[in-house]
Amino acid sequence: TAQFSGVVVEDITNDDTAAMDLQTWTVSLAFDNPDNTLLNVFNADVQAEGDGGFYHSTAAGGIVGAQARPFDLDPANVDEPYDSFITINVGTGGDSDLLGDLSLDPDFSSSSFINDGHLVGGWFNSNPPNLMGQAGDDGLVQIAQLTIDAGTEAGGDISFFYNEGPGTDGVEGSASFVIPTPGALALLGMAGLVGSRRRRA
């Protein structure tokens, strides 16, 4: 049976973000079948250690603290590279046709997400069945992009529902993850809690 296989965090900090003493990470759920489809994330409880909490671009537009896909992380766009948001992305590529299909649970607090570095609540695909949340060839469904103070940690717990394609039963899962400081990456890998990848623009 095709199932959830872990959480992947990836450092996508670029030069502009680093110059502001910030660090940006993507958080994705990994599945072992391209048909696996994430339906919703709920009971999220994710915290940032740094004084600034999760940094959010005021130029992002849309729902504060929530977007259906990442913005283009072009260093020429000063506001966009360090945006924090939640998502149910299509693989790691995004799909602009699905921008309207991300919705927030009533318990999601965008002000808390931005102001005190404590992400709580949930978000979901409001228009299934569609391709939103399908793992695709890379097996990854992005659930957040989080920007925090450089050298600090973030992490927490999430629950989620997914299925193995249209017409299949939903499966409930849960996971804990840590967005580590750079020096903690080796220890994190040994613990086997998440996979992590680093990419510097």
Side-chain angles (χ1 to χ4, degrees), residues 90-164:
V90 182
T92 55
D95 188 336
S96 59
D97 292 337
L98 300 176
L99 278 169
D101 293 334
L102 180 72
S103 295
L104 301 176
D105 286 339
D107 58 350
F108 181 87
S109 172
S110 61
S111 60
S112 174
F113 175 65
I114 297 167
N115 293 331
D116 66 9
H118 191 187
L119 168 58
V120 295
W123 52 101
F124 62 95
N125 179 356
S126 60
N127 192 30
N130 55 23
L131 294 178
M132 182 179 183
Q134 191 171 46
D137 292 340
D138 65 5
L140 299 179
V141 180
Q142 186 177 334
I143 61 168
Q145 176 172 299
L146 303 174
T147 295
I148 58 179
D149 291 328
T152 63
E153 293 185 356
D157 306 306
I158 58 167
S159 298
F160 51 90
F161 273 106
Y162 69 96
N163 63 22
E164 296 178 16

Side-chain angles (χ1 to χ4, degrees), residues 22-111:
L22 301 175
Q23 194 164 23
T24 299
W25 299 80
T26 59
V27 181
S28 301
L29 302 187
F31 297 92
D32 59 12
N33 186 300
D35 292 329
N36 288 165
T37 303
L38 180 65
L39 303 174
N40 76 300
V41 177
F42 63 99
N43 289 343
D45 186 356
V46 181
Q47 291 185 283
E49 177 188 88
D51 294 337
F54 298 114
Y55 285 80
H56 180 67
S57 168
T58 56
I63 302 171
V64 175
Q67 288 291 327
R69 64 183 175 92
F71 289 94
D72 178 19
L73 299 178
D74 183 344
N77 299 326
V78 175
D79 287 325
E80 293 180 0
Y82 63 93
D83 190 33
S84 295
F85 53 85
I86 53 90
T87 183
I88 296 177
N89 198 41
V90 182
T92 55
D95 188 336
S96 59
D97 292 337
L98 300 176
L99 278 169
D101 293 334
L102 180 72
S103 295
L104 301 176
D105 286 339
D107 58 350
F108 181 87
S109 172
S110 61
S111 60

